[in-house]
Each structure stands twice: as structure tokens, then as C-alpha cells.
Amino acid sequence: MRRANALTFLLVTVFVDMLGLGLIVPIVPALLTELTAGPARAVLWSGLLGTVFGLFQFAASPLLGRLSDRYGRRPVLLLSLGCLGVDWLAHAIAGSPWALLAVHALAGACAGTNTVVNAYIADVTPPERRARAFGLIGAAFGLGFVAGPTIGGLLGAVDVRLPFFAAAALSFANLAYGRFVLPESRPGDRTTPLTLRTTNPVSAIAAVLRRPVLGRLARARLCADIARMIQQATWAFFLTFRFGWGTAHVGLVIAGTALAGALFQARAVGPVVRRFGEKRTAIGGGLLTVTTFAGTAFASTPAQLYLLLSVGVLSAAGGAAAQSWISATAGADEQGTVQGALSAIGAVAETAVPLTASAAFGALLAYGKPGLIFVVAAIFAAASTTFLARTPIDAKREARP
């Protein structure tokens, strides 16, 4: 029962995280325009806030992961939830963008939710059931992404700051929920050293990359993150320019795809991984992703695009399988450390790719070839799949260097 309560809380946590983010996505431009007195400065501040958040997340993720190995998952996860609530509350009451920048930097430094959730699942779920658990986490992520913007748009129509109050309330409610129902999955080991070498992001990433199996899986994760961020940064613009769709049509396509992906991950990931295994599922998902991106680059009709999106939904099993594979390769006493290093790697992509991809998309658009940005995404997805294919499946719990 305690394990079931824990998994339910983790699912709620991921859902609330994405719901809170989705609540404020449609409203951030209006709030920043109000605070900065102009749309041009609002865009600049929006980019600055995102970059600062990503940089602080990059710097702090290995430390948070290491702390969860030393002191347990529960306190680190609850700290992250509390900081998130403070961040949303600051957005609701801030009178200047500088105040937002300071609090958003703190939120980035405390952004350990994904790190600790992944480590927690590895603690409480047997290896043969982890892919299903990670699939459920992906489903909660997708459902929050679908629900958030819709609710945020409705609340924002009442008052531009109301979605931020709602997001803060959800975060604090989830914090209180976790305080009472979340058991500790791993008490921690006070002998786990906290040194500059083990907690700074450069050393933490290097330590993972030096390991034969985890290093390849980490490189595969980085390439997959880059491909995903290229799509996220340019997707709405691509649909607008290629097919001439309005915002409502684009929103429906994005929401429909996210919902289909969530349902597939919730229902099908476990059986697929049991049938084909982690490695083959991860590689298969990667190949489907390559097909989706490469096909999207040259899709000329909505029917072709919808077919490719259907293929993309099936690729979701690959990410859950790869995450399960990573957790099985890491030792029980280092799940937080490894997940923290992977979160830092992801933060690099989330910080650098949106700006780079947007600039590249703008250049390609000037030449009338906007779809070529998805060729680039397909190349990174292919590189990720290649790393997965070259990684041995039987070298689990590999010796650390």
C-alpha cells in the first residue's frame, strides 16, 4: 500500500508540475509585457528567465541528486516542490522583472523533481516493472501538458496573475500531500561523500561519460534531448508557415498528440518492453522518431503529417525503455547521483537548443525551406539510436571508474 501511495504521489507530482507550467505558458507574455512596458523587452526578459533557470538547473542538478543519495529522496523532493510554489507565487505578486529573475534562478537551483522522481522509481520498482512505471510518468507529463494551457488561458482571461496563484496553490497543495503520504524510498547513506568533484556538474557529467555503458546511454539521452528541443522550439511556427494553420488548429494538434502519447505510454509501454526488452524497444522508438522527423521535413499535406504524428506517438515507448535501462545500469546507492548528472545534461540542451534552433529556423524560413530544421532533428535522433544500438544490454551494474 505504501508503494502504491508513493507511485500515486509521484504521478500527481509530475502532473502538477506540468499542469502548473502549462497554466502559465499562455500568460507569461502578457505578464512580462505588463512588467517591462513593451513587447520587445518582454521577449528579451522571457529568454533571459529561461536561460537563467536552465543554467542554475545545470549547476545544481548533480548536487540535488547526490543529496538524495546521502539524505534520502523525500526531503529533496519536498524541497523542490516548495521552491516551485515560491517561484509561481513570486510571478503572481512581482512588481519588477528583476525580482522574477532572482526567484526564478532559485527555482532552477531547486529543480530536482525529475531527478528525484526517476531515482525514487528505481528504488521502489523491480527492474522488470520499471519501464511501465516510467511510461506512467510520461503519461502524467503529457496529461499535464494538455490540461495546463487550456485552464491557464481561461484563468488568464479573468486576471493575468490568476494562473500564477493557481499554479502556486497546486504546488503547495502537492507539497502538503507529499508531507503526509510520501514514505522514504531509501533512507540514504551518510557516508556518501559530498565533495566538489562529486557535486559540480562538469565532474558529475564526466564521471558518467567515462563509464562504458552509462556513457553511451548518456550520449544517447543528450542527442535525443537535442532532437526533442528542436521540435519544441519550432513546432508551432512550422505548422503555421507550412500549412497556414491558425493558433486554435495548432493548439488542437499539439494537445491531441500529447494526449495520444500519454494514453499510449500509460497502457502500452509495459507490455511492449516485456515483449521486446529494453534495448530493442529503445532502438525501435529511436527509429520511429527518426522516421517522424525526417518525414515531417518533407510533408506537404495535413494527411501526411497526421500519419507521421501517429508514428511519433508509438515512439514514446523508446524513452521509457531507455530510462528503465539507465536505472538498471546504475547501482542502488547512486541512482540520485546518476539521475542528477543526466538532468544536468538535459539542462544543457534545454538552455542552448531553443535559441539556436529558433535562429536556424528563421534562416531556413528566409530561404523557403523551414522543414529542413527537422532533418537536423532527425540526424540527432539517428545519433541517439546509434549510441543505443552500440550499447551492450548485459553489462548491468557496471563497475565505476
Side-chain angles (χ1 to χ4, degrees):
M1 181 62 69
R2 287 168 62 85
R3 180 176 297 177
N5 287 339
L7 181 57
T8 299
F9 173 75
L10 296 179
L11 294 174
V12 170
T13 294
V14 173
F15 175 78
V16 168
D17 261 13
M18 283 308 300
L19 181 65
L21 179 62
L23 280 172
I24 60 92
V25 163
I27 311 302
V28 166
L31 176 65
L32 289 178
T33 299
E34 176 185 304
L35 292 178
T36 60
R41 287 178 58 82
V43 172
L44 176 63
W45 274 99
S46 178
L48 183 60
L49 287 169
T51 298
V52 166
F53 183 93
L55 288 174
F56 274 79
Q57 184 181 23
F58 166 76
S61 288
L63 172 61
L64 293 175
R66 195 73 171 178
L67 287 173
S68 76
D69 283 337
R70 181 179 173 90
Y71 297 108
R73 317 296 185 206
R74 186 173 183 272
V76 178
L77 183 55
L78 295 180
L79 171 66
S80 297
L81 294 176
C83 287
L84 183 63
V86 170
D87 185 31
W88 296 143
L89 185 60
H91 277 73
I93 64 177
S96 76
W98 289 105
L100 279 186
L101 187 66
V103 178
H104 210 49
L106 174 63
C110 297
T113 301
N114 288 338
T115 296
V116 181
V117 165
N118 289 337
Y120 199 113
I121 288 178
D123 292 338
V124 303
T125 310
E128 66 274 10
R129 297 179 60 186
R130 281 183 195 162
R132 177 180 178 273
F134 286 122
L136 291 173
I137 292 295
F141 186 98
L143 291 174
F145 180 80
V146 171
T150 302
I151 300 173
L154 294 174
L155 294 177
V158 178
D159 184 278
V160 72
R161 295 178 185 258
L162 185 56
F164 297 98
F165 282 114
L170 286 171
S171 295
F172 289 132
N174 196 36
L175 172 62
Y177 173 41
R179 174 68 179 80
F180 290 106
V181 307
L182 183 67
E184 179 57 74
S185 65
R186 184 177 182 274
D189 183 357
R190 298 303 175 93
T191 65
T192 300
L194 286 176
T195 64
L196 183 62
R197 186 183 67 83
T198 60
T199 58
N200 84 79
V202 175
S203 296
I205 292 173
V208 169
L209 294 180
R210 282 196 299 267
R211 296 168 65 169
V213 176
L214 272 178
R216 289 176 181 171
L217 293 176
R219 290 178 175 90
R221 168 73 72 82
L222 174 60
C223 291
D225 283 345
I226 292 173
R228 174 178 57 85
M229 291 306 300
I230 289 173
Q231 183 198 35
Q232 288 184 7
T234 61
W235 186 232
F237 296 101
F238 171 77
L239 294 178
T240 299
F241 287 109
R242 172 61 63 87
F243 299 106
W245 291 347
T247 55
H249 196 162
V250 171
L252 285 174
V253 169
I254 293 175
T257 304
L259 181 59
L263 294 176
F264 178 76
Q265 289 187 79
R267 301 293 297 178
V269 168
V272 169
V273 173
R274 282 196 299 271
R275 174 67 177 83
F276 296 104
E278 291 168 338
K279 180 172 183 176
R280 283 190 287 180
T281 302
I283 293 172
L287 292 174
L288 290 174
T289 301
V290 173
T291 300
T292 301
F293 286 150
T296 298
F298 303 101
S300 58
T301 67
Q304 293 173 350
L305 182 68
Y306 294 143
L307 177 60
L308 290 165
L309 291 176
S310 299
V311 174
V313 167
L314 300 179
S315 70
Q323 181 61 54
S324 178
W325 189 358
I326 290 170
S327 71
T329 303
D333 61 340
E334 59 168 352
Q335 290 289 340
T337 300
V338 170
Q339 296 298 337
L342 292 175
S343 293
I345 290 173
V348 173
E350 292 178 8
T351 301
V353 173
L355 180 61
T356 306
S358 297
F361 181 81
L364 292 170
L365 186 63
Y367 288 98
K369 303 289 184 182
L372 291 183
I373 194 69
F374 291 99
V375 173
V376 179
I379 290 171
F380 278 102
S384 175
T385 306
T386 301
F387 280 122
L388 293 172
R390 295 179 60 189
T391 303
I393 190 63
D394 56 345
K396 297 189 177 184
R397 305 292 166 88
E398 60 178 341
R400 300 173 213 175

